[in-house]
């Protein structure tokens, strides 16, 4: 593989920074969240947004679609939502004098899909979404239909209203590149919102990229150089999430999968492109690790009783696992008796 050149990385980085600036004009006071969403888009992954209602999750997705000149659809997930409601259904139509079933695409056939309150849908509907997320296609009555490229799912879930919800299965959670927490605004940000926004009026967002530009930036990310020592750090970090592999893992019942390591590597490369660097670094990995691991670790019962959160355990893992695994030089090793 030919690695990305400095000129390619620089061009992609400038485009991406303009995208971040456009989104900051949509969502005030959430710069870190926006940077991680842009990182996820560059990585070609799906993102799970968790936060209270009214914090701007929907506006962020709309702003992203407008900034990229992409087709976006919003699906409000409810318990009675059927798989065909999102994938589409065959409809009986008259074609050239005869009746036949013609497939009518559903709202999944868009570049950006906002799956609002995803955990309110039944497992059967979630399984249909799972195929779309993993395979970038849907299958209806044995016929497969490819989804447009690029294709991103940005799903939201409310952390407090859990009545009538279906917890997302681990297999589906693992398909999300990131899980990001949307935090409430401080007083200064709320004041800025009041001064610059009107209820029911969407902010105007100018397009800064298009589908071809974002696809090219994603190709550049894939060709960013990942040093061997950085890859080793990712492998050791993911391995440390399994019980018995680190001190912090004593609070973990089930650790992260190899897909987490691949996600971390791609996201680190995306961060390098944003910074206009041709290689990923340890700091890039450390920055994206919480978003990659947050939804992939299952804490044991005792840790939950003690009030420890997944983020607490991830911070302990990052403190425990060193950037480089170096053996003690023979001259410094203790002598055998």
């Amino acid at each position: 593989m030919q690695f990305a050149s400095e000129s390619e990385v620089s061009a992609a980085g400038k485009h991406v920074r303009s995208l971040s600036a456009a989104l900051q004009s949509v969502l005030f006071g959430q710069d870190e969240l926006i940077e991680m969403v842009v990182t996820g888009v560059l990585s070609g992954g799906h993102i799970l947004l968790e936060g209270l209602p009214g914090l701007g999750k929907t506006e962020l997705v709309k702003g992203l679609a407008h900034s990229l000149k992409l087709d976006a659809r919003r699906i409000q997930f409810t318990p009675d939502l059927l798989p065909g409601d999102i994938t589409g259904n065959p409809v009986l139509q008259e074609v050239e004098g005869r009746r036949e079933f013609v497939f009518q695409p559903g709202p999944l056939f868009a570049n950006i899909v906002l799956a609002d309150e995803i955990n309110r849908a039944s497992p059967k509907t979630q399984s249909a979404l799972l195929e779309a997320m993993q395979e970038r296609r849907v299958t209806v009555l044995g016929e497969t239909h490819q989804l447009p490229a690029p294709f991103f799912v940005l799903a939201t879930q409310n952390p407090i209203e859990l009545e009538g919800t279906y917890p997302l299965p681990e297999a589906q959670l693992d398909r999300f590149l990131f899980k990001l927490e949307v935090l409430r605004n401080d007083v200064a940000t709320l004041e800025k919102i009041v001064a610059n926004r009107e209820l029911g009026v969407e902010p105007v967002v100018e397009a800064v990229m298009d589908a071809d530009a974002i696809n090219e930036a994603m190709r550049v990310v894939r060709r960013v150089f990942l040093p061997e020592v950085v890859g080793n750090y990712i492998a050791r970090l993911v391995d440390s999430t399994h019980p018995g592999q680190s001190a912090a893992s004593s609070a973990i019942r089930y650790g992260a999968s190899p897909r987490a390591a691949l996600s971390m590597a791609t996201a680190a490369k995306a961060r390098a492109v944003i910074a206009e660097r041709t290689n990923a670094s340890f700091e890039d990995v450390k920055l994206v690790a919480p978003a990659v691991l947050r939804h992939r670790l299952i804490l044991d019962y005792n840790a939950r009783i003690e009030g420890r959160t997944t983020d607490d355990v991830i911070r302990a893992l990052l403190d425990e696992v060193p950037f480089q695994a170096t053996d003690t030089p023979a001259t410094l090793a203790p002598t055998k008796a």
Side-chain angles (χ1 to χ4, degrees), residues 16-149:
V16 173
R17 282 201 301 277
S18 64
L19 174 60
S20 296
L23 293 179
Q24 287 166 4
S25 68
V26 175
L27 201 61
F28 299 143
Q30 299 281 7
D31 294 354
E32 183 178 347
L33 171 67
I34 288 171
E35 287 296 318
M36 292 305 296
V37 168
V38 171
T39 301
V41 169
L42 269 185
S43 305
H46 310 295
I47 301 172
L48 180 61
L49 301 169
E50 184 175 83
L52 300 175
L55 294 180
K57 299 184 292 293
T58 302
E59 291 303 321
L60 175 62
V61 176
K62 289 180 181 178
L64 181 64
H66 293 320
S67 300
L68 297 176
K69 294 177 66 175
L70 297 177
D71 182 26
R73 305 282 178 85
R74 177 178 179 270
I75 307 174
Q76 182 64 52
F77 279 69
T78 56
D80 60 347
L81 194 71
L82 299 176
D85 295 332
I86 65 173
T87 62
N89 283 304
V91 177
L92 187 62
Q93 294 183 353
E94 188 169 336
V95 180
E96 297 180 354
R98 65 180 186 277
R99 290 187 174 184
E100 60 182 46
F101 284 102
V102 178
F103 178 71
Q104 297 294 325
L108 274 185
F109 285 80
N111 299 114
I112 299 177
V113 175
L114 172 60
D116 225 346
E117 295 190 291
I118 185 175
N119 54 333
R120 293 199 178 278
S122 66
K124 191 172 184 179
T125 302
Q126 288 183 13
S127 67
L129 180 62
L130 177 61
E131 181 191 9
M133 292 172 60
Q134 180 63 26
E135 308 295 340
R136 261 69 175 186
R137 67 188 184 194
V138 297
T139 302
V140 179
L141 295 181
E143 186 176 355
T144 299
H145 306 272
Q146 292 294 330
L147 294 170

Side-chain angles (χ1 to χ4, degrees), residues 96-274:
E96 297 180 354
R98 65 180 186 277
R99 290 187 174 184
E100 60 182 46
F101 284 102
V102 178
F103 178 71
Q104 297 294 325
L108 274 185
F109 285 80
N111 299 114
I112 299 177
V113 175
L114 172 60
D116 225 346
E117 295 190 291
I118 185 175
N119 54 333
R120 293 199 178 278
S122 66
K124 191 172 184 179
T125 302
Q126 288 183 13
S127 67
L129 180 62
L130 177 61
E131 181 191 9
M133 292 172 60
Q134 180 63 26
E135 308 295 340
R136 261 69 175 186
R137 67 188 184 194
V138 297
T139 302
V140 179
L141 295 181
E143 186 176 355
T144 299
H145 306 272
Q146 292 294 330
L147 294 170
F151 174 74
F152 308 102
V153 172
L154 283 84
T156 70
Q157 63 178 8
N158 187 336
I160 57 173
E161 294 180 5
L162 299 180
E163 294 82 3
T165 63
Y166 300 84
L168 298 183
E170 300 305 322
Q172 186 168 0
L173 282 173
D174 201 34
R175 264 64 177 188
F176 285 102
L177 176 80
F178 289 161
K179 180 183 178 182
L180 303 176
E181 294 182 346
V182 185
L183 305 176
R184 69 177 184 86
N185 305 112
D186 56 22
V187 174
T189 302
L190 287 172
E191 185 179 1
K192 188 175 181 180
I193 293 173
V194 171
N196 294 274
R197 291 286 186 267
E198 291 289 341
L199 187 63
V201 179
E202 294 186 8
V204 178
V205 185
E206 293 185 0
V208 295
M209 298 176 71
D210 56 18
D212 292 336
I214 192 62
N215 281 326
E216 177 58 29
M218 289 165 61
R219 286 191 288 268
V220 171
V221 167
R222 293 295 192 274
R223 294 190 291 116
V224 166
F225 178 61
L226 182 73
E228 184 177 345
V229 289
V230 178
N232 176 261
Y233 174 57
I234 293 174
R236 288 185 292 108
L237 187 58
V238 172
D239 181 67
S240 71
T241 65
H242 293 272
Q245 299 303 110
S246 63
S249 66
S250 62
I252 301 175
R253 185 178 182 185
Y254 297 108
S257 67
R259 187 179 285 113
L262 294 174
S263 299
M264 208 176 295
T266 304
K269 292 180 181 181
R271 295 297 307 184
V273 168
I274 293 173

